[in-house]
Amino acid sequence: IETNTETLAFDAAGGSKTVNIEASGPFSVGAVPEGFAVEIVNRRVTVVADANSSGATRSGTLEFILESDGETKATVSLSQKGA
């Protein structure tokens, strides 16, 4: 399983960005960090960041896990500026 990016950075206003996944079979998403959401359609993943009105940077990681082998994962780091 592989992604086309290792990091996604968002402005404080939020927004959405896509991640393309190459996998040998079905995959799932691990825990989604607070302030972010994930939508999956045909192996195209859209990561949505809510507006961040706090002064602090928001960050976390997303794990994409191959269902046939739970040890096979791809990770994308997320970050978002604070307002």
Side-chain angles (χ1 to χ4, degrees):
I1 186 166
E2 295 180 359
T3 64
N4 66 332
T5 185
E6 294 180 1
T7 60
L8 292 177
F10 294 88
D11 292 329
S16 64
K17 298 190 177 196
T18 55
V19 178
N20 291 322
I21 306 287
E22 290 292 327
S24 60
F27 62 91
S28 60
V29 179
V32 178
E34 187 175 339
F36 299 95
V38 174
E39 301 169 355
I40 302 173
V41 178
N42 296 327
R43 295 191 184 191
R44 173 176 262 174
V45 176
T46 302
V47 180
V48 180
D50 295 335
N52 184 2
S53 57
S54 75
T57 298
R58 185 185 285 165
S59 63
T61 57
L62 278 179
E63 278 190 335
F64 300 97
I65 306 155
L66 196 62
E67 289 183 3
S68 63
D69 178 5
E71 298 299 311
T72 302
K73 302 176 184 179
T75 303
V76 175
S77 297
L78 306 175
S79 64
Q80 182 181 22
K81 298 176 185 175

